[in-house]
Each structure stands twice: as structure tokens, then as C-alpha cells.
């Protein structure tokens, strides 16, 4: 508004000059995932230099696997955050779906594929419930999904204990047809002496699909819109309710997918699997450029955030440091990312 | 969420996806002067509050009908009837000669009546081209490959804005980085593109400075040139006068008259608005604002009269 006194013609001339100076490089710098990309490269180089195992095939396969399940979730959570909502039940969901399949197959002898289908339906119903509750009551999703989180955590611990008498799934690999879903979700491909787990491919696939949806489909346009300005979106005919409920269901689906990867990679799930991870997903999404206030962010960024987490998580082990440094590192990353994102948002929202 | 928003959620669920994908603005417009909306002794009561009574005017293709009045005069109530947000309780509303009650904004939109509210319904962080098509995005491809027709969206947004005389540096910039006047113009251009025959603007200049108001007034004139009927709500007679063809004055929910431009002067309009007493102060304000940007006002007048 401060430049409003400049005469029209002059302003136009300046504008044209500015167009020609907006280089491709400048455009790339404006993408939300740039910060995460730079941070990821830095972290990679750092651990590659100070440890021996980090860049070896077996070393890399460990941090990639660690990044992959977190990454699947971080991408789902990022979509939801761009749509303006949070899901604190996302972590417990990974445990819940894994346990559900484990209990149904090992304890009740249900066919493994059928059990997976049932777990998927349960996850989607819980996701839809989250969404409908948030939209109907108008309560913040933070509170609604905190409730769902506690309910799921309670089920994971208490109900599982009542049903199978313990808090971890055992004998999963003896389940008939176990090998089929194992091949799909838990197998590993040997690349140059290191294992690349199926979850890594799922992670890449989920990131690619999410990026496509966000940037190139109607639904993606709606996700950005409902997160950025819900009332305005409704006024121009965006189906706000459907979009938001769909996002909660997508996060729940990611929870199921990550749960299956965990279950079939390790052939067990504990009752506390995923609990406490919900904030890691949010941190990954924020590090990847998502605004806490919604309407801005990227799936690739969230995937990079998860990569940073996985690399740091394992890098600290390889370096022989105290594992608690990870927490301090995450905190610093989060604060740095939030400050950077806030600056980007201010720039994007201010009138010139 | 307010009760109103909840209602909106419910309404939205019932709504089937009927958003027009095909813009109809390419249809040949009716000849200028054809009445599209006619209201006769229309009125609106909220319970026993009479917000509006006995209002008569017409909205014609290629003309700008200005609705003038102070705060609380009933301007918003009047346009909400035209926009389908509220149904009228008295009198008659005719669209294309057919008597109607508009039960929802969707019905009004389908009749080609588009409303640009003051909050503009834009998403500040999204690029201009995405905002332009939000809610009615064109797609290409089938099945899972169905995707946004990005190149069409970008070029159409740029061309449509250019046709309204808005030359943007870059349709990729977030709409929040545009000035208030430019944003208003994008909202107008969007309504025009999606087939509006009647464009209702609720106080588009109220929050703007002199220069930016001038820019918006220019686009109102542009929309009229394209054959649209425009309903322009304002409490500033100096904004209404350069672009208006017909002036309808409201005070305390009552019409103080409906005048074609030939039957009234700016002085008379201002006097009626101010009720005489504040006339001096207003004409001084007018002088200073004209002085500050006289070149622009001259431009504007040349364009609207020529
Ligand atoms: N929903 C409503 N219920 C009761 N009274 C209303 C309602 N909406 C508007 N009014 C009254 O109608 C009158 C006209 O309001 P409005 O049309 O908003 O005026 P304007 O837009 O000219 O400022 C005001 O006195 C206002 O209090
Ligand atoms: Mg009003």
C-alpha cells in the first residue's frame, strides 16, 4: 500500500522489469520444500563425513527404513495440515491397525488379507469420524483427535491385553499366507549389498501421488483453499465438508499403510507402537514447509522432513553419541522451520 | 463455527456438484437497456423489524444501477434479496420479466446473478490463477489421469484479467500480494468469466484509498461496456456519479427515489444523501480527493462517457 502513490505507467514499467528478473532459480527458491532440501543435504554430508557406516549400503538401508514409515505418515499429516487440520491420533493409528491384523490372524485365525481389509475399513471409519466430529462441532481438530488418540491408545493396550493376554503380537510369521502381504509390505530388495525395504517404495509412491494430487488436481486446489480460507472456499462452491473429511480419512489410510509396513517388516507390533510419534509427523511436515495455520506446504517437503529425521536418528547412533541429542536436534529444527515458514507466509500475504 | 456456518455446511452436503464448468460469458449479451431485474415496491421484514420497504428500481444490461445510502439504510438487505441470500417479504421481484423468489445464492447464480461480497472470497496464499478458477476448475484427461488444465487456467486467467484492463506481472503470485483494488478486480473478472449477466458489488470501494477506488470504478465501467448489468452499492456519491446510469437512494429502509442520470445532478445526489446539513463538509472532501488524483478522474470520465 505504501507504493500506491506511484503513477500508473511508471508502476507498469517496473512490473515488466520484475517479470524478466524472476528467473527459474528464483522460482525454485520460492517452493516450500527448499528449506528442507538444504537441511537434508547438510545432515547427509555431516554424518557421511563424521561416521564410516552412514553411506555404506547397510548403513543407508537402516536410515532409509527408519525414514520410510515416518515419511508415509508425515505426507498424510502434511496433506491434512495444508487443509488446516491436525491429527494427533495418527501415531496410535499405526499401532492400532497393526495390532488389529495381528490379533485377528494369530488369535482368531482370520485370513490375513481379510484381516487387513477389516483393519483398513476400521481405520477409514475412525478417520471419517474424526473429520465429521471436527466439522459438525466446530471444535479444533487438535482437541477432537487428542480424544481419538487416547481412545486408540486405550484400545491398543487394554483391549489387546484382554484378547491375547499380552501387549505384543507373537507368531505372526506362522499365519497362513503370511508371505504374500510380507512380499508387498515387508520384503527387502538387495541393492549393492544393502536392503531397500518395501516401505521405502511405498514412501516414495505416497509422496509422488500426494504431490500429483496437491499440485495437479481439483482436489488439491480444494485442499489448499479449505486450509487457507474456509469461508471463502465455501462461497465459491468448494465442497469444504467432503474435502476435510476426505483428508482425515487419507491420514487414517496412511496410518494403516504404515502399520502394515511395520507389522510385515518386523512380524510383530507392540501395544505402544506409534504412540508419541504423532508430533514427529507434524515436525516433519513443518520442517518440510507446512504452515501450522494451513493453506501452504508440500508433500515432498514432508517426505524430506522424514528423511532428515531418519538420517539424524541413525546418524547419532553411528556417531556413538547419546541418543537424547536427537530430541534437542528435532527441537532446533522445528523452531528454525517455524520461523522460516512464518517469514515466507508474511511475505506471501502482505500487500505490495 | 457459527450457526450460520453450520447451516452452510448442511446446505453444502445437500448440494450436488452443479458448479458450472462451462463459462457462458461468450453468449451474445442482450441489447443494452434491456431490463434484467425489475423490483416493484419490494420490502423485507425480519420479524417485526422492517429493514426495507417500498423499493422500486430496475437493473438493465449495459447499465450501472447505483444503490446509495448511509450505514444501516438497508443497502445490504436489498442486494441480499437480489443475490438469493434472503427472500423478500413484500412486493415483486421480476427477472427477465418473470416474477420470482430467489431461495438460495445458487438459484441466483444459475440465473446469471453473481455477487462480489466485501470479503471477496479469495484465498490469500493461493496463486491468482488458482483463485480465479477455485470451485470451478477445468480439467483434462480421464479417470485417475484427470488433472487440472493448468495451461488453460493460467492463460485464461491472464487474458480475462487483461480484458478487464488488469495487467498482472505474474498470475503465479499469491493473490494476497495484490493490492486491495486489484483483488477486487480479480473477483469481478472471475464473476464475469463464469457467466454473470448481473454483477452485484457490495461496497467494493469502501475499504480502498482514492487511487484504488478509481481503479475499481474503471473496471465497473469496463464490465458495463461488456454488456453486463451492474448493481453498485456505495455510500459515496462521488464514487457512484462517474459510473452510474441510474441512482436509487435508500434512507432508513425506505427508497428516496430512483433516478436516471438525466434527471439528477451530482450536487442534488450529494444533498439528498447528506440531508443538506453536511453538504459543505462533503463538497470539501470531494475537492480534496479530486485534487489529489484529478488526472485519474479525468481519464475515468472520458472512458465512461466516451
Ligand atoms: N438479520 C437481521 N435481523 C434483523 N434486523 C436486520 C437483519 N439484517 C439487517 N437488519 C436491520 O436492517 C437494517 C438495514 O441493514 P443493512 O441492509 O445491513 O444496511 P446497510 O447495508 O445499508 O448498512 C438495519 O437497521 C439492520 O439492523
Ligand atoms: Mg452493508
Amino acid at each position: 500500500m505504501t507504493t500506491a502513490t506511484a503513477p500508473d505507467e511508471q508502476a507498469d514499467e517496473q512490473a515488466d522489469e520484475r517479470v524478466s528478473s524472476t528467473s527459474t532459480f528464483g522460482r525454485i527458491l520460492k517452493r516450500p520444500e527448499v528449506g528442507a532440501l538444504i537441511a537434508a543435504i547438510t545432515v547427509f554430508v555431516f554424518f557421511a563425513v563424521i561416521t564410516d557406516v552412514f553411506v555404506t549400503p547397510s548403513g543407508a538401508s537402516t536410515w532409509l527404513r527408519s525414514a520410510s514409515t515416518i515419511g508415509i505418515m508425515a505426507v498424510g499429516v502434511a496433506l491434512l495440515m495444508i487443509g488446516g487440520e491436525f491429527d494427533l491420533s495418527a501415531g496410535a493409528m499405526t499401532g492400532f491397525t497393526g495390532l488389529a491384523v495381528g490379533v485377528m490372524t494369530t488369535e482368531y485365525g482370520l485370513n490375513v488379507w481379510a484381516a487387513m481389509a477389516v483393519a483398513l475399513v476400521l481405520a477409514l471409519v475412525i478417520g471419517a469420524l474424526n473429520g465429521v466430529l471436527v466439522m459438525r462441532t466446530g471444535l479444533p481438530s487438535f482437541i477432537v483427535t487428542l480424544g481419538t488418540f487416547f481412545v486408540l491408545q486405550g484400545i491398543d493396550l487394554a483391549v489387546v491385553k484382554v484378547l491375547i493376554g499380552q501387549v505384543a503380537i507373537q507368531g505372526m510369521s506362522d499365519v497362513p499366507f503370511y508371505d504374500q502381504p510380507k512380499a508387498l509390505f515387508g520384503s527387502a530388495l538387495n541393492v549393492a549389498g544393502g536392503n531397500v525395504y518395501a516401505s521405502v517404495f511405498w514412501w516414495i509412491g505416497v509422496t509422488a501421488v500426494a504431490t500429483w494430487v496437491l499440485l495437479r488436481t481439483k482436489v488439491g486446489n480444494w485442499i489448499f483453499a479449505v486450509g487457507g480460507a474456509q469461508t471463502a472456499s465455501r462461497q465459491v462452491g468448494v465442497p469444504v465438508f467432503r474435502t476435510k473429511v476426505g483428508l482425515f480419512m487419507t491420514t487414517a489410510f496412511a496410518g494403516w499403510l504404515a502399520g502394515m509396513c511395520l507389522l510385515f517388516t518386523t512380524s510383530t507390533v507392540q501395544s505402544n507402537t506409534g504412540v508419541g510419534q504423532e508430533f514427529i509427523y507434524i515436525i516433519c511436515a513443518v520442517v518440510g514447509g507446512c504452515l501450522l495455520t494451513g493453506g501452504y506446504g508440500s508433500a515432498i517437503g514432508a517426505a524430506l522432513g522424514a528423511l532428515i529425521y531418519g538420517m539424524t536418528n541413525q546418524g547419532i547412533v553411528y556417531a556413538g553419541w547419546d541418543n537424547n541429542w536427537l530430541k534437542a536436534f528435532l527441537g532446533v529444527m522445528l523452531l528454525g522451520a517455524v520461523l522460516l515458514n512464518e517469514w515466507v507466509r508474511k511475505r506471501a500475504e502482505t500487500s505490495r | 463455527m457459527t450457526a450460520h456456518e453450520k447451516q452452510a455446511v448442511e446446505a453444502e452436503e445437500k448440494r450436488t456438484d452443479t458448479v458450472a464448468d462451462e463459462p457462458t460469458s461468450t453468449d451474445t449479451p442482450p441489447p443494452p437497456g434491456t431490463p434484467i431485474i425489475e423490483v416493484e415496491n419490494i420490502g423485507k421484514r425480519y420479524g417485526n423489524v422492517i429493514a426495507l420497504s417500498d423499493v422500486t428500481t430496475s437493473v438493465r444490461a449495459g447499465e450501472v444501477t447505483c444503490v446509495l445510502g448511509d450505514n444501516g439504510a438497508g443497502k445490504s438487505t436489498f442486494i441480499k434479496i437480489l443475490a438469493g441470500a434472503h427472500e423478500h417479504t413484500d412486493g415483486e421481484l421480476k427477472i427477465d420479466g418473470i416474477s420470482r423468489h430467489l431461495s438460495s445464492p445458487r438459484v441466483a447464480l444459475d440465473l446469471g446473478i453473481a455477487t462480489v461480497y466485501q470479503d471477496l472470497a479469495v484465498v490469500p496464499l493461493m496463486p491468482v490463477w488458482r483463485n480465479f478458477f477455485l470451485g470451478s476448475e477445468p480439467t483434462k484427461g480421464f479417470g485417475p489421469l484427470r488433472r487440472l488444465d493448468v495451461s488453460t487456467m493460467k492463460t485464461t486467467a491472464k487474458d480475462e484479467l487483461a480484458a478487464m484492463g488488469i495487467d498482472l506481472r505474474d498470475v503465479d503470485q499469491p493473490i494476497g500480494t495484490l493490492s486491495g483494488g486489484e483483488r477486487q478486480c480479480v473477483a469481478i473478472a472471475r464473476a464475469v468469466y463464469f457467466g454473470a449477466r448481473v454483477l452485484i458489488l457490495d461496497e467494493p470501494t469502501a475499504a480502498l484509498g482514492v487511487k484504488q477506488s478509481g481503479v475499481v470504478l474503471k473496471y465497473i465501467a469496463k464490465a458495463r461496456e461488456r454488456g453486463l448489468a451492474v448493481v453498485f452499492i456505495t455510500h459515496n456519491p462521488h464514487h457512484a456519479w462517474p459510473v452510474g446510469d441510474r441512482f436509487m437512494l435508500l434512507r432508513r429502509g425506505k427508497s428516496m427515489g430512483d433516478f436516471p442520470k438525466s434527471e439528477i445532478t451530482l450536487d442534488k445526489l450529494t444533498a439528498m444523501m447528506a440531508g443538506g446539513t453536511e453538504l459543505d463538509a462533503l463538497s470539501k472532501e470531494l475537492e480534496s480527493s479530486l485534487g489529489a488524483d484529478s488526472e485519474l478522474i479525468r481519464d475515468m470520465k472520458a472512458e465512461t462517457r466516451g
Side-chain angles (χ1 to χ4, degrees), chain B residues 64 66 68 204-214 217 220 232-244 247 266 285-286 289 297 300:
Chain B
V64 177
C66 296
L68 289 136
T205 56
L208 302 180
V210 175
K211 182 195 149 115
Q212 296 208 348
S213 298
L217 295 182
I220 292 175
F232 173 28
I233 288 87
T234 178
H235 58 245
N236 189 335
H238 308 112
H239 288 168
W241 186 254
V243 292
F247 303 89
L266 174 57
E285 191 190 313
L286 159 70
S289 58
I297 298 278
M300 223 159 57

Side-chain angles (χ1 to χ4, degrees), chain B residues 213-289:
Chain B
S213 298
V215 174
V216 171
L217 295 182
K218 228 161 92 179
Y219 301 137
I220 292 175
K222 262 274 174 21
R224 181 182 63 177
E225 265 171 41
R226 290 178 79 163
L228 271 86
V230 181
V231 182
F232 173 28
I233 288 87
T234 178
H235 58 245
N236 189 335
H238 308 112
H239 288 168
W241 186 254
V243 292
D245 297 295
R246 173 174 289 276
F247 303 89
M248 200 265 282
L249 282 93
L250 288 176
R251 179 184 278 174
R252 296 204 185 121
K254 285 218 160 61
S255 172
M256 294 164 68
D258 174 38
F259 309 97
K261 197 166 195 169
S262 55
E263 288 175 17
I264 198 167
T265 63
L266 174 57
D267 285 348
K268 247 174 96 181
L269 200 64
T270 315
M272 283 178 81
M273 279 281 303
T277 51
E278 294 151 71
L279 182 60
D280 270 354
L282 267 162
S283 63
K284 282 205 183 86
E285 191 190 313
L286 159 70
E287 259 173 39
S288 63
S289 58

Side-chain angles (χ1 to χ4, degrees), chain A residues 303-319:
Chain A
L304 287 170
L307 184 64
I308 294 170
Y309 174 83
M311 289 193 297
T312 315
N313 193 14
Q314 284 305 312
I316 284 173
V317 174
Y318 295 151

